């Protein structure tokens, strides 16, 4: 369980994402498609086509990129 501070915006990508993409390319999608900063404090969730893989990009309080790969 990852505690999320109150006030953090959670963005969930609709559809599915090619899970072969690394975190730098997912961060680029956040910049180009959503027009947001991936290091701006938001939590961005991307789901795989089968629905069993989730990639999360979050730049939290510690000012370091937190990357989480979880099998659901």
């Amino acid at each position: 369980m990852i505690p999320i501070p109150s006030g953090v915006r959670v963005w969930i990508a609709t559809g599915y994402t090619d899970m072969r993409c690394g975190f730098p390319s997912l961060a680029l999608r956040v910049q180009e498609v959503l027009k947001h900063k991936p290091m701006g404090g938001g939590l961005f969730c991307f789901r795989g086509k089968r629905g069993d893989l989730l990639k999360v990009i979050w730049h939290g309080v510690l000012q370091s990129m937190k990357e989480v790969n979880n099998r659901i």
Side-chain angles (χ1 to χ4, degrees), residues 2 4-5 13-14 23 34-35 39 41-42 48-50 56 60 68:
I2 300 172
I4 300 173
T14 58
F23 287 100
L34 296 176
K35 307 293 187 220
M39 306 282 240
K49 186 173 185 177
R50 294 185 311 192
V56 177
V68 178

Side-chain angles (χ1 to χ4, degrees), residues 15 26-27 39 49 53 57:
L26 291 175
M39 306 282 240
K49 186 173 185 177
L53 186 64
I57 296 178

Side-chain angles (χ1 to χ4, degrees), residues 34-67:
L34 296 176
K35 307 293 187 220
H36 288 283
K37 297 179 185 177
M39 306 282 240
L43 191 136
F44 301 93
C45 302
F46 300 91
R47 161 180 129 39
K49 186 173 185 177
R50 294 185 311 192
D52 65 342
L53 186 64
L54 181 72
K55 285 190 177 182
V56 177
I57 296 178
W58 178 35
H59 187 267
V61 178
L62 298 176
Q63 301 300 316
S64 63
M65 183 66 90
K66 293 184 179 183
E67 304 168 347

Side-chain angles (χ1 to χ4, degrees), residues 1 3 8 10-12 14-15 19-20 23 27 30-32 35 39 43 47 51 54 62-63 67 69 71:
M1 182 66 98
V8 172
V10 178
W11 298 87
I12 300 173
T14 58
M19 289 291 113
R20 295 176 292 179
F23 287 100
V30 169
Q31 286 179 333
E32 291 180 348
K35 307 293 187 220
M39 306 282 240
L43 191 136
R47 161 180 129 39
L54 181 72
L62 298 176
Q63 301 300 316
E67 304 168 347
N69 268 334
R71 290 256 176 212

